[in-house]
Amino acid sequence: MLSLLSSLSRLGAGAVLTLSLAAMAVAQENRVETQVVADSPRIEILPLTGSVSAPQTSQLSSAETGQVSELTVEMGDTVTQGQPLLSLDTRDIGLESQRARADLAQAEAERDEAQRLVSEANQLSAQNFAASERRQRESALAAAQATLEARRADYSLAQLQLERHQIRAPFNGMVTHRESNVGEWVNPGDTLLTLVDLASLRLDFSVPLSVYQRFEGSQLEVRLEGSDQWHPARTLARIPLDASSRQFLLRAAPETPLEMLPGMAVEGRLQLNGESGPSVPRDALIRRPDGSVSVWLARQSDDTWQAFEQRVEIGSSYQGEVAVNEGLSAGDRVIVVGNERLEEGQEVSLSDD
């Protein structure tokens, strides 16, 4: 008898322990973490695709006709502003320059002589020098001065033509194409070299016109082709395109120097600020097989909390937060942890209460 009572006693203690563990498991399963919904600025991320461009690109040509006598650069060479790149044969124009300089010297001498004769006439009294002779010398001086100005212009033109026989770099950059060789005959307008300023490369994106009015306060990040890292960029210009395209050109530059070359593909993401509204963490969303989306809300009744499912319409997401367009309002308490196996009206305990 005592043994039976002892056995029952032991069985009762085990049953109590089992029931206690089961109750703890149920309580543990019903424990959730919530977050109170608040209105916050809606942030939309607009993905962009673009390319690296070189606004300062020059196709160098000669203003003179001639034969290439010297070529000092190759493709890929980096040059500085004013550096000689290519020269044409200057033997003929050199002789023209010498002749123009001789003509100029002769005109200066003739002007000086005419000036001397006028000064001499001025020093003589009116009685000892005829007025007609004085006027003749003054006319000769004026003609000599005009001839001198013409010879100066001829010499300056010869010097300019001589200078144009040499092509210099208009800015710092890299030679990306070479279309000529020593000994070739070139004409004005022929492309001889292409120079690209790699220090002023820009990022160009085509952006829908619908974004234009929302652009103020936006932020842009860029990522080069083959890279996983995003870099902040500043906007340089918003350039209208053909109206039929319904887009505008967004030109930007990275805040920190990047290793870029013209033509490289680049990705962008434009952060746009929208109207304020409710948003929830991505973990709070329950996606159903039919494509609908819902969240679980915790609502208090007396001293207990209960879970209720609420279907929502979601919008854009940013940094783990998803905008809710319909179904929620500020002040709702949404369940963000422990929402996997809830049932409608089920009692829950809040770990953050």
Side-chain angles (χ1 to χ4, degrees), residues 290-329:
D290 61 358
S292 64
V293 181
S294 62
V295 297
W296 285 97
L297 299 179
R299 293 173 181 167
Q300 190 173 24
S301 176
D302 296 330
D303 294 333
T304 61
W305 288 91
Q306 294 177 295
F308 297 92
E309 188 174 10
Q310 175 66 43
R311 182 169 295 189
V312 294
E313 295 291 335
I314 61 175
S316 59
S317 63
Y318 179 70
Q319 293 184 346
E321 292 288 321
V322 181
V324 178
N325 298 328
E326 293 183 11
L328 289 182
S329 58

Side-chain angles (χ1 to χ4, degrees), residues 50-63:
S51 61
V52 180
S53 65
Q56 190 159 240
T57 300
S58 182
Q59 294 181 329
L60 304 179
S61 60
S62 173

Side-chain angles (χ1 to χ4, degrees), residues 166-181:
Q166 186 175 69
I167 297 178
R168 298 178 179 271
F171 49 81
N172 298 341
M174 175 184 288
V175 178
T176 59
H177 290 87
R178 198 190 78 177
E179 307 293 341
S180 58
N181 291 293

